[in-house]
Amino acid sequence: MIVLHVLGAGGATPTPERGPAAYWVELDGHGLLLDPGPGALVRLVRQPGAPDSVDGVDTVLLSHLHSTIRPTSRRCSSPSTRCSLGRTAGS
């Protein structure tokens, strides 16, 4: 079963009511953090049913980059977390 948690659905700038778009996807006991932006980890650990710490994140998927992300940012600090950068043709 796939479970999708919307951690944020706002624009690029967080507001008190809305955070930037970010998603937590659960699939067969594995967790995927999709397109985390500012504040996504805080919202993740506060989300019922999601991990209570970043140690529970199995995979991080970035579907696109922003100018604030450098190529070295693709590396993960935790050896148990897989990082992936989505690319489209011509990017």
Side-chain angles (χ1 to χ4, degrees), residues 73-87:
S73 298
R74 288 188 234 167
R75 290 181 282 168
C76 291
S77 59
S78 170
S80 64
T81 302
R82 294 176 302 223
C83 288
S84 180
L85 174 63
R87 296 239 179 216

Side-chain angles (χ1 to χ4, degrees), residues 2 6-7 16 19-20 27-29 33 35 39 41-42 44 47 49 56-57 60 64 66 74-75 80 83 87 91:
I2 298 173
V6 178
L7 303 175
L27 176 62
D28 298 330
L33 184 57
D35 287 335
L41 292 176
V42 172
L44 174 67
Q47 178 74 31
V57 178
V60 176
H64 61 284
H66 292 266
R74 288 188 234 167
R75 290 181 282 168
S80 64
C83 288
R87 296 239 179 216
S91 63

Side-chain angles (χ1 to χ4, degrees), residues 44-79:
L44 174 67
V45 298
R46 291 180 179 167
Q47 178 74 31
D52 57 0
S53 78
V54 295
D55 294 331
V57 178
D58 297 320
T59 304
V60 176
L61 175 66
L62 303 176
S63 66
H64 61 284
L65 293 178
H66 292 266
S67 61
T68 57
I69 300 176
R70 296 185 193 114
T72 56
S73 298
R74 288 188 234 167
R75 290 181 282 168
C76 291
S77 59
S78 170

